[in-house]
Amino acid sequence: MNQMIAGLLRRHQNFLAGLVALLLTTVFASIAGIYLGSVNEILILIPGLMILVPSSINMRGAIAGILASRLASAMHIGAFDIDYKEGSVLGDNLRATFILTVLIAAIVGLLGYIIGIAAGLDIIPVMDMILISVISGCLAGVIVTLITLIVSLATYRYSVDLDMIGAPTVTTAGDVITLPLLVITAVLVVGLPPSVRYLLLGVVVLLLILSIIGTLKGTDTVQSIIREGLPLLAPLCILGTIAGVVYTEGLEDLVATAALLILIPPFMNGCGAIGGIICSRLATGMHMGSIEPKLIPGREVFSGFGTNYIYTLTILPLMGSIAHYSALLIGLDSPGLLLMVAIATGSGLIVVTGMNLLAYMTASISFTLGYDPDNFGIPVVTSSIDLIGATVLIMMIHLVL
């Protein structure tokens, strides 16, 4: 009986921890949304910049999410220690995280240019796209990784479940930090003389070479993370880039009703954070043996799905409300409070339903094939949310308005 009561109290505590984290991240992600709404003219003046927004934000959150998820699993199985040396769990994960950041940022810039041109969009030169992506990505990556590290060490110190707060925290940090750095970097890069841009391109190439050398000479853990992470994240960048194209093609409508532009970052962040929670819980459960990868999910998995719907019905209406009142506060247009809440909540329920199923399928397949679900769940789910979320959100906007 005492064990049952203790288990219920622990589940209640974990639920509240996740809810508080999601509420806080919703507020902070809305700051990124307000910023996006306020720089709508820059998005139009620098063609191709909006293409980079979803994939840049997503990759920061995905890479940091992998780090948080792996550290959470290490904590649960007793393998975590505060040690930054080469060969340690923490040290190797941090090194692999920076290498992934550099490589993926270059891929995001290149794919943004190629897919943008293929879609027939006006776009800045490929060198500028790569410079903007890598410079902003590395700066944001260092800051977001530092935040992830601080959160991980704090949860370890105070015995809080990192699975419940890691994903919401790092995905929000990715939104709030990456978006301003992306816009500021874009403005600075396009204003530089060609000679300086070529010099910066040389620095970027050097970083890429050092990252490759770091992978080849790294420990088995570093090589394993890169070997599993890079082939997964690189194709997933395509989904985020296509989402950016979808937003770019509808940019004039979004700018005309700027409250909808404000809604994009918190909507993507909130759905991604909820997906990150279930991904981390599934990975940890499979590592510990409490969740078995089966065709029909077990009771514990369905309990996690139910928790996600409660989270969705709590934070999505809040997002719509914040976007509406924020738009009015800074003098931008909004279709109205009820319509904003309906668009956010309706889109969120559709996205979260697909995300629950995708999270379980990804964790089950990767675990069954002998891969670490920590490396696959969050990137697959959050990248899919980029494209699915963009499509559902735009469709819901046209349906409601």
Side-chain angles (χ1 to χ4, degrees):
M1 179 64 72
N2 289 336
Q3 289 182 346
M4 183 181 296
I5 294 175
L8 289 173
L9 288 175
R10 186 165 56 252
R11 293 174 72 93
H12 181 67
Q13 181 184 22
N14 289 339
F15 171 80
L16 288 179
L19 180 60
V20 170
L22 286 169
L23 290 172
L24 290 175
T25 56
T26 296
V27 174
F28 284 108
S30 295
I31 296 174
I34 294 170
Y35 180 81
L36 185 64
S38 66
V39 297
N40 56 75
E41 293 182 358
I42 295 178
L43 296 175
I44 295 175
L45 291 174
I46 303 180
L49 179 57
M50 189 66 192
I51 296 176
L52 294 177
V53 170
S55 51
S56 295
I57 289 177
N58 176 262
M59 286 300 111
R60 293 293 77 69
I63 294 172
I66 290 175
L67 174 63
S69 186
R70 290 180 62 88
L71 294 181
S73 294
M75 291 176 188
H76 281 291
I77 63 178
F80 181 83
D81 193 16
I82 303 176
D83 186 354
Y84 301 96
K85 296 178 182 177
E86 186 175 18
S88 66
V89 171
L90 183 56
D92 283 353
N93 273 276
L94 289 175
R95 291 176 180 84
T97 296
F98 183 75
I99 292 171
L100 276 177
T101 296
V102 175
L103 297 178
I104 291 299
I107 292 171
V108 166
L110 182 60
L111 283 176
Y113 178 80
I114 293 173
I115 295 177
I117 291 295
L121 300 175
D122 291 331
I123 198 166
I124 55 178
V126 62
M127 179 176 68
D128 291 351
M129 291 286 283
I130 293 175
L131 286 178
I132 292 168
S133 181
V134 174
I135 294 172
S136 64
C138 289
L139 292 174
V142 169
I143 299 172
V144 174
T145 299
L146 180 60
I147 292 172
T148 306
L149 178 61
I150 293 172
V151 171
S152 301
L153 295 179
T155 57
Y156 181 71
R157 169 67 177 81
Y158 295 104
S159 301
V160 178
D161 190 350
L162 181 58
D163 281 332
M164 299 305 293
I165 66 173
T169 303
V170 301
T171 53
T172 301
D175 280 7
V176 175
I177 293 168
T178 302
L179 186 54
L181 284 176
L182 181 67
V183 174
I184 292 170
T185 302
V187 172
L188 293 176
V189 167
V190 297
L192 291 173
S195 57
V196 178
R197 279 185 274 179
Y198 280 115
L199 179 62
L200 287 175
L201 184 63
V203 175
V204 167
V205 172
L206 179 61
L207 265 179
L208 290 170
I209 293 173
L210 291 175
S211 297
I212 294 171
I213 293 173
T215 302
L216 296 176
K217 292 188 175 182
T219 63
D220 290 341
T221 300
V222 171
Q223 292 182 2
S224 174
I225 295 172
I226 303 301
R227 186 170 57 250
E228 293 183 14
L230 188 61
L232 173 70
L233 292 172
L236 291 177
C237 291
I238 297 174
L239 298 180
T241 303
I242 296 174
V245 170
V246 172
Y247 286 132
T248 300
E249 290 177 339
L251 189 57
E252 291 185 3
D253 293 335
L254 291 172
V255 169
T257 310
L260 298 172
L261 198 59
I262 293 174
L263 180 62
I264 291 174
F267 178 82
M268 295 302 178
N269 172 271
C271 292
I274 293 172
I277 288 176
I278 191 66
C279 287
S280 293
R281 291 183 64 184
L282 289 171
T284 298
M286 289 180 184
H287 280 304
M288 298 181 68
S290 60
I291 296 177
E292 295 183 10
K294 299 183 296 185
L295 181 62
I296 305 299
R299 182 177 180 180
E300 185 172 348
V301 177
F302 277 111
S303 174
F305 291 169
T307 300
N308 278 359
Y309 284 117
I310 296 174
Y311 287 153
T312 301
L313 291 172
T314 302
I315 69 168
L316 267 297
L318 178 61
M319 289 180 193
S321 301
I322 292 176
H324 167 73
Y325 287 113
S326 298
L328 296 183
L329 186 64
I330 60 178
L332 300 176
D333 292 330
S334 171
L337 177 60
L338 292 180
L339 287 178
M340 287 296 295
V341 170
I343 290 170
T345 307
S347 302
L349 288 171
I350 295 172
V351 171
V352 168
T353 298
M355 180 197 64
N356 280 339
L357 299 176
L358 182 61
Y360 181 73
M361 288 173 55
T362 302
S364 298
I365 293 173
S366 60
F367 188 79
T368 301
L369 294 177
Y371 295 105
D372 189 346
D374 282 318
N375 290 341
F376 287 81
I378 290 178
V380 169
V381 169
T382 54
S383 296
S384 299
I385 285 174
D386 276 350
L387 181 55
I388 297 171
T391 304
V392 171
L393 191 59
I394 294 297
M395 288 178 62
M396 187 66 69
I397 289 170
H398 287 300
L399 180 65
V400 173
L401 300 182

